[in-house]
Amino acid sequence: MKPELIIKHARRFATPFRVTDGKKFRLRDHDPADTLDFTEKDKPRAKEALATGVEALAELQDKLYAQDQWAVLLIFQAMDAAGKDGAIKHVMSGINPQGCEVHSFKAPTSEELDHDFLWRCSKRVPERGRIGIFNRSYYEETLVVRVHPKILENQKVPRELLTRRLWKERHEDIRGFERYLHRNGVLVRKFFLNVSKEEQKRRFLARIDTPEKNWKFSAADSRERAFWDDYQHAYEETIRHTATEEAPWYVVPADHKWFSRVVVAAAVIDALTSLNLAYPEVGEKQKAELAAAKAQLLAEK
Ligand code: ATP
Ligand code: MG
């Protein structure tokens, strides 16, 4: 497929779900089962589109790596069983592993708690030329921590700093951090895989009923379901306050995995094509060196 056509398709899938200004953002305007005008019948076509997208991504990544100027940071957040792992696996499947790294952020260790909340993530920001993926991130600090304020008590932040302004301040600090990254040549894109409560239940039941999926199920995940509404509120607030032009959120409908993967791939393609990536130009001196090396190789007996 021609590059212009790929860009056009990518925009078509990505733009409807992009949030660059959170002021009017409301989660209830976003249907987790949305598939634009595609139906189950189009699933094979969607899979083909994903395959084409993955190929295009591999090519873009190759240029990103060769150019060695921009870095790309993709952040994934979601409720359990929304399909984060699968989306990461499928979308990145064609990419050269040397140019890509995935980091998962779990409950912080005691060493991590001895630092400011951005510390552990900022250490993992990808280097230039690379794509870095955060499977969960510093956003947990305004999600799980907000839903369970008890977690804050175990953090070592001085008590006098834990005021009613805390969430507002964290949003502000995150915006500042992402602006800083952007200004340094790190392109940031954030994905909220938006699954419905009903679909999560279906997936949990499948994890319980299918022996090969048992390992994916944890009782803690289903306990978190009791806090569903609090999480929805925390996500809404977070997206409202941290969606910006330079670091947009994508609210990806996640009830249909085949569709959510296409949207994620499309958003990453859209992001990478916005960078005007190109292979570095070879100068006169290097051209002469190439010619000399060629002559030498051809002269070998
Ligand atoms: P999986 O899909 O394998 O279950 P996961 O990302 O859910 O992946 P888990 O080990 O199940 O991994 O869960 C990690 C847990 O760590 C989540 O419940 C998350 O909310 C929690 N967590 C992440 N960051 C923080 C944080 N800063 N403070 C407290 N808890 C956190
Ligand atoms: Mg989990």
Side-chain angles (χ1 to χ4, degrees):
M1 207 185 280
K2 284 208 185 96
E4 310 84 66
L5 208 58
I6 288 179
I7 297 175
K8 205 176 120 198
H9 282 305
R11 296 230 167 106
R12 168 151 184 260
F13 281 104
T15 315
F17 308 109
R18 188 177 61 195
V19 185
T20 53
D21 175 3
K23 271 191 216 87
K24 293 197 188 112
F25 176 74
R26 284 184 322 184
L27 207 41
R28 73 177 120 103
D29 296 336
H30 291 254
D31 176 9
D34 193 2
T35 53
L36 292 174
D37 46 0
F38 291 80
T39 63
E40 284 287 322
K41 274 211 313 288
D42 300 306
K43 234 164 116 170
R45 265 184 41 219
K47 287 198 170 152
E48 247 172 69
L50 182 61
T52 312
V54 165
E55 248 173 65
L57 262 178
E59 230 179 282
L60 287 161
Q61 185 221 7
D62 202 46
K63 285 185 187 159
L64 180 84
Y65 190 86
Q67 197 182 51
D68 202 17
Q69 291 178 353
W70 288 94
V72 176
L73 173 60
L74 309 174
I75 297 179
F76 288 85
Q77 289 288 158
M79 296 298 285
D80 279 297
K84 266 186 297 125
D85 295 16
I88 293 169
K89 187 165 97 181
H90 279 83
V91 173
M92 296 302 145
S93 57
I95 271 184
N96 177 357
Q98 291 218 71
C100 177
E101 49 195 57
V102 184
H103 296 285
S104 297
F105 296 96
K106 317 264 179 189
T109 62
S110 57
E111 188 197 16
E112 288 165 351
L113 287 175
D114 264 336
H115 294 267
D116 59 277
F117 80 85
L118 287 173
W119 180 77
R120 65 175 179 161
C121 293
S122 79
K123 280 200 302 187
R124 303 291 179 214
V125 169
E127 54 188 280
R128 299 189 192 284
R130 309 285 167 104
I131 298 178
I133 295 173
F134 285 179
N135 184 348
R136 303 186 186 275
S137 64
Y138 44 81
Y139 278 106
E140 293 289 328
E141 291 292 334
T142 67
L143 296 166
V144 68
V145 180
R146 186 164 185 174
V147 171
H148 299 288
K150 266 218 152 317
I151 297 176
L152 269 180
E153 289 170 22
N154 297 325
Q155 296 190 347
K156 293 165 77 178
V157 184
R159 291 292 163 262
E160 59 267 39
L161 298 180
L162 301 178
T163 67
R164 286 171 51 217
R165 294 189 305 274
L166 184 71
W167 308 117
K168 187 171 168 276
E169 287 167 357
R170 288 198 169 176
H171 293 145
E172 210 173 276
D173 295 336
I174 289 173
R175 280 201 309 271
F177 179 63
E178 291 176 352
R179 189 175 55 219
Y180 162 81
L181 291 179
H182 178 79
R183 287 176 176 169
N184 273 271
V186 181
L187 192 78
V188 182
R189 293 293 182 267
K190 303 164 315 202
F191 298 91
F192 168 47
L193 301 192
N194 184 22
V195 76
S196 67
K197 198 174 178 188
E198 299 71 52
E199 180 60 23
Q200 190 197 51
K201 180 173 168 182
R202 224 169 288 138
R203 291 182 190 174
F204 278 168
L205 287 173
R207 287 178 179 188
I208 294 168
D209 291 339
T210 321
E212 294 75 28
K213 290 186 177 177
N214 279 174
W215 65 274
K216 286 194 195 177
F217 184 78
S218 98
D221 294 351
S222 81
R223 276 198 298 275
E224 286 309 283
R225 255 176 89 74
F227 299 94
W228 187 271
D229 292 343
D230 298 338
Y231 272 107
Q232 296 297 103
H233 175 250
Y235 269 107
E236 184 169 85
E237 282 286 297
T238 296
I239 294 170
R240 251 173 196 266
H241 293 104
T242 58
T244 61
E245 201 64 53
E246 70 251 6
W249 273 102
Y250 287 87
V251 179
V252 181
D255 276 6
H256 300 283
K257 288 180 180 170
W258 57 271
F259 187 73
S260 57
R261 288 168 189 171
V262 173
V263 173
V264 172
V268 181
I269 291 173
D270 194 20
L272 285 169
T273 48
S274 74
L275 295 178
N276 291 320
L277 299 170
Y279 290 108
E281 294 235 4
V282 174
E284 286 310 312
K285 187 167 162 252
Q286 250 177 312
K287 274 189 197 155
E289 274 169 15
L290 288 174
K294 184 175 172 182
Q296 200 177 16
L297 285 167
L298 292 176
E300 268 179 19
K301 294 233 170 69

